[in-house]
């Protein structure tokens, strides 16, 4: 796979899974544009990668930020060949415990952010001839832990958004949803720290995966790069799980 002369815009690319995606695309010769609210980490990530990586400070939940960032990527940084809608936040609560502002904040980043980025990236893709929108959903679109009502709703909705983009812009723009299981990132590490026994929760999370380990950002980055490459050109409009086999085992069943 080569992304030479291609520009890949990655939201939330300063840390975690987005940073893993940035690294994989960069390794494969692409120009990488990281959009993130964390300016310090984003600039550092791009400096660590090299001179084909650029940072733009952008809050994906604000349309003015997104429109400006996509314009900058298209006009001065080489285009928008691939958009990876990865920026996301997590909030723990049930439906009855979720404050309206927490619901709006989470959906604003996880769902509206992806919509806004697609809205302002797709015209540049169509102008250039083609493009790919990869939406970072989650295994929680299929199997859901307790206390993540807004998050699970946002990740399920991203699968619908993916389908709509695929249907509305085929054949020139493809869209794919990636659904990771537990990945070792700052998001998960901070979630573990909220529990009285972070190490126990980390081990319980590992145990949910048949692989005996959580995913690494690179695992997800490699899949994102594959679906965005020519080798993935027959994949469209679908969610793909990359979850170490999470949630497929019948509880209580034993190995042979
Ligand atoms: N870590 C997991 O186990 C896991 C599993 C499935 C799906 N996901 C999804 O993958 C994506 C990345 O998760 P992660 O674990 O790497 O998270 P993370 O918190 O480690 O990193 C997220 C990045 O997004 C940035 N960000 C947050 N709000 C933003 C905004 N409004 N605008 C722009 N950037 C913003 C953060 O600054 C950070 O750099 C998220 O959409 C998450 O829901 C994560």
């Amino acid at each position: 796979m080569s992304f030479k002369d291609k520009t890949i815009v990655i939201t939330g690319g300063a840390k975690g899974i987005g940073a893993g995606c940035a690294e994989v695309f960069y390794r494969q010769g692409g120009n990488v544009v990281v959009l993130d609210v964390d300016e310090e980490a984003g600039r550092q990530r791009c400096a660590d990668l090299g001179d084909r990586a650029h940072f733009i400070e952008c809050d994906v939940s604000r349309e003015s930020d997104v429109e400006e960032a996509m314009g900058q990527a298209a006009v001065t940084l080489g285009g928008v060949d691939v958009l990876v809608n990865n920026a996301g936040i997590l909030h723990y609560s049930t439906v009855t415990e979720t404050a309206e502002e927490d619901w709006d904040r989470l959906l604003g980043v996880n769902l509206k952010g992806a919509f806004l980025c697609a809205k302002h990236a797709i015209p540049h893709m169509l102008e250039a001839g083609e493009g790919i929108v990869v939406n970072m959903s989650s295994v929680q679109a299929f199997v859901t832990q307790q206390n993540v009502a807004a998050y699970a709703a946002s990740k399920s909705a991203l699968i619908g958004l993916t389908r709509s983009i695929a249907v509305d812009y085929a054949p020139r723009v493809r869209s794919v949803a990636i659904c990771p299981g537990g990945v070792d990132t700052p998001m998960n590490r901070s979630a573990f720290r909220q529990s009285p026994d972070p190490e126990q929760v980390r081990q319980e999370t590992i145990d949910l995966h048949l692989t005996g380990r959580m995913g690494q950002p690179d695992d997800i980055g490699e899949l994102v790069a594959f679906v965005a490459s020519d080798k993935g050109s027959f994949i469209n409009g679908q969610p793909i799980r990359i979850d170490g086999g999470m949630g497929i085992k019948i509880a209580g069943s034993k190995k042979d």
Side-chain angles (χ1 to χ4, degrees):
M1 288 186 293
S2 170
F3 287 91
K4 191 170 177 304
D5 300 327
K6 299 281 186 201
T7 302
I8 300 94
V9 176
I10 302 167
T11 71
K15 300 190 288 280
I17 292 174
C21 293
E23 200 165 320
V24 172
F25 279 109
Y26 194 90
R27 228 170 25 226
Q28 296 178 7
N31 302 315
V32 167
V33 182
V34 167
L35 270 44
D36 207 293
V37 284
D38 187 338
E39 186 183 0
E40 195 184 335
R43 290 202 185 283
Q44 188 58 52
R45 162 67 28 190
C46 291
D48 290 346
L49 287 174
D51 56 10
R52 283 182 284 108
H54 306 275
F55 175 73
I56 303 174
E57 189 176 356
C58 172
D59 178 343
V60 296
S61 66
R62 292 167 56 111
E63 185 159 23
S64 53
D65 276 21
V66 171
E67 188 171 9
E68 197 180 319
M70 293 304 165
Q72 201 179 325
V75 175
T76 63
L77 299 173
V80 188
D81 297 297
V82 180
L83 166 65
V84 183
N85 274 323
N86 164 80
I89 55 175
L90 177 60
H91 178 77
Y92 285 104
S93 56
T94 60
V95 165
T96 49
E97 290 163 347
T98 302
E100 185 181 4
E101 59 265 33
D102 289 328
W103 175 271
D104 287 345
R105 189 171 55 88
L106 189 143
L107 273 288
V109 177
N110 293 14
L111 184 58
K112 189 175 99 174
F115 147 67
L116 289 176
C117 289
K119 175 180 173 183
H120 291 287
I122 288 171
H124 297 298
M125 294 175 177
L126 294 174
E127 206 182 320
E130 60 180 9
I132 297 129
V133 178
V134 180
N135 293 318
M136 199 59 69
S137 175
S138 166
V139 74
Q140 303 235 24
F142 301 97
V143 287
T144 303
Q145 71 185 101
Q146 289 180 309
N147 275 323
V148 293
Y151 184 81
S154 74
K155 294 299 171 181
S156 302
L158 277 175
I159 294 176
L161 181 68
T162 302
R163 227 171 13 242
S164 281
I165 294 169
V167 167
D168 288 339
Y169 300 100
R172 290 197 286 161
V173 176
R174 286 190 296 123
S175 186
V176 180
I178 302 295
C179 305
V183 183
D184 185 18
T185 66
M187 178 189 275
N188 258 330
R189 289 195 285 273
S190 113
F192 296 158
R193 280 196 299 275
Q194 287 173 38
S195 119
D197 189 345
E199 188 42 44
Q200 186 194 340
V201 181
R202 196 182 79 85
Q203 191 54 51
E204 284 169 4
T205 305
I206 290 171
D207 292 344
L208 293 173
H209 301 80
L210 298 181
T211 43
R213 69 170 178 94
M214 290 175 72
Q216 291 298 322
D218 236 37
D219 293 321
I220 314 304
E222 293 286 353
L223 177 62
V224 172
F226 176 81
V227 303
S229 75
D230 290 345
K231 289 184 196 290
S233 63
F234 201 51
I235 306 171
N236 201 3
Q238 295 291 331
I240 301 177
R241 285 174 68 155
I242 172 166
D243 61 6
M246 182 193 265
I248 61 166
K249 183 178 166 189
I250 295 172
S253 65
K254 293 195 169 50
K255 283 186 184 156
D256 292 335

